[in-house]
Amino acid sequence: MTVTHSSRYGDRAAAQPYLEQYDRVKAELPGAALSWVRDLRELGRSRFAELGFPTSKVEAWKYTSLKSLEKVAFQPAKPAAAGVHFDVLPHVGTGPRLVFVDGFFRADLSSTAGVPAGVELSGLAETLSRNPDLVGEHLGRLAVSDEQRFVALNTAFLADGAVVRVGRGVEVPEPIELVFVSLGSDDGAVAFHPRTLLIAEPQSKATVIEHHVGLGIGATFANHVAEAYVGEGAILRHYKVQREGAEAFHLSNSVAKVGKDACYDNFILTTGARLARNEVRVALGLGSSCNVNGAYMIGGHQHCDTTTVIEHKEPHGTSREVYKGAIDDHGRAVFQGKIVVHPGAQKTDGHQLNRALLLSDTAEIDAKPELEIYADDVKCSHGATAGELADEALFYLRARGIPKDEARALLIGAFLAEALDEIPDETIREAFHSFVTGWLGTR
């Protein structure tokens, strides 16, 4: 999704505090002794200075205002010495996990026991110090600072995050879990900018689950970027649960490059944060496929933005996208989904579906599905609908003795299940269902 002359529509004044912070801390950031890391950060800083915060005149941000984010004076987060305990952190399986608190890796809360041979699992700051060549070839190559303002900001403050590399032909039996905890500070609002690097080498297979949770109080600004490289014939399942606190701001950019005959499976479940925006961009190669799915449940005055771009760059690619949302109270959701079929990408098969359930008279959704096709032998479709709970179905359940609130929850759960059923692993699917059930219990 390209916006021409986007710098004309940026609020540079809102960007200034972050630029001043960067200038103060840049010499202390991990890897500062590496010239290519310094150059990468400076590129991010200069691009963010040029672009500024997006305004409503930027088409990609037309429906999501960042005025509430701009009003908060965030300071760079610092490593937390205490306040997080292993027993309160979420988990799906019993496999390896890396834990980050306010963007900083915590080895004491992490576990890499049982990691198969051929798998690298580490914090980014540690990797820049110990083995920079491992990330030098990939870092900043997919998620670029060109028109992506918050990728640029993340790149400027690039300090820590997760590095996952699965070697050629290696299959990881258990999900790799990355837990990002927003703890915050009693001294004021804090911001952090983690970078995740996922490398699935040819013929490998792995599942990575991100948990984003809030355990503290006060405002936090999490600006995440993930770069995923899926080699020829590899399968990478990349799932995410976002359950941050009521005063949290969560901006996320996930960018994937999928090689020949490979598969990238992405799923995002959103229930938290005051304002959340998840961007997913996938570039498909010859005969490759992707599933870009998700579900969101919001209420109060929450705002949830889902923006996706799937690019079919070569022939015989397949993409499937199913997003479903439940919006209550004064919640507002945005869905912007775009499928681009490049010239020569014949035999493309792309499908996109977005459905929203409005649970109150004040709930709102803005939907903008798009198809951009430059090849003639393709099969592409999209659809977007919004509606209320069916009175007939609610009456049917109540007539059989089911209380109103329970009947309502059953119908909402069944509606969202269509999206969750896209998760092939039963254990993970059931875990995600439990998050939905937990949210329904608060309605």
Side-chain angles (χ1 to χ4, degrees), residues 237-255:
R237 296 191 170 107
H238 182 198
Y239 303 148
K240 172 180 174 179
V241 181
Q242 191 275 105
R243 298 187 295 140
E244 293 183 339
E247 296 302 315
F249 295 86
H250 182 97
L251 302 183
S252 171
N253 280 270
S254 296
V255 187

Side-chain angles (χ1 to χ4, degrees), residues 19 41-51 152 156:
L19 302 175
R41 289 184 178 129
E42 287 295 328
L43 179 63
R45 188 230 186 261
S46 62
R47 193 58 178 152
F48 185 66
E50 180 182 352
L51 293 171

Side-chain angles (χ1 to χ4, degrees), residues 133-152:
D133 291 342
L134 177 65
V135 297
E137 182 183 350
H138 298 92
L139 196 63
R141 303 300 176 92
L142 286 185
V144 296
S145 302
D146 187 12
E147 294 293 341
Q148 298 299 101
R149 300 152 196 269
F150 291 100
V151 169

Side-chain angles (χ1 to χ4, degrees), residues 369-386:
E370 294 180 86
L371 298 177
E372 192 172 305
I373 301 173
Y374 301 101
D376 53 14
D377 187 5
V378 303
K379 183 171 65 174
C380 292
S381 64
H382 65 64
T385 63

Side-chain angles (χ1 to χ4, degrees), residues 86-103:
F86 191 91
D87 58 347
V88 302
L89 297 178
H91 62 90
V92 170
T94 58
R97 62 160 53 181
L98 299 183
V99 178
F100 302 83
V101 179
D102 288 346

Side-chain angles (χ1 to χ4, degrees), residues 253-270:
N253 280 270
S254 296
V255 187
K257 181 180 181 181
V258 188
K260 179 183 176 183
D261 298 327
C263 177
Y264 176 68
D265 190 6
N266 181 284
F267 192 99
I268 299 175
L269 179 68
T270 298

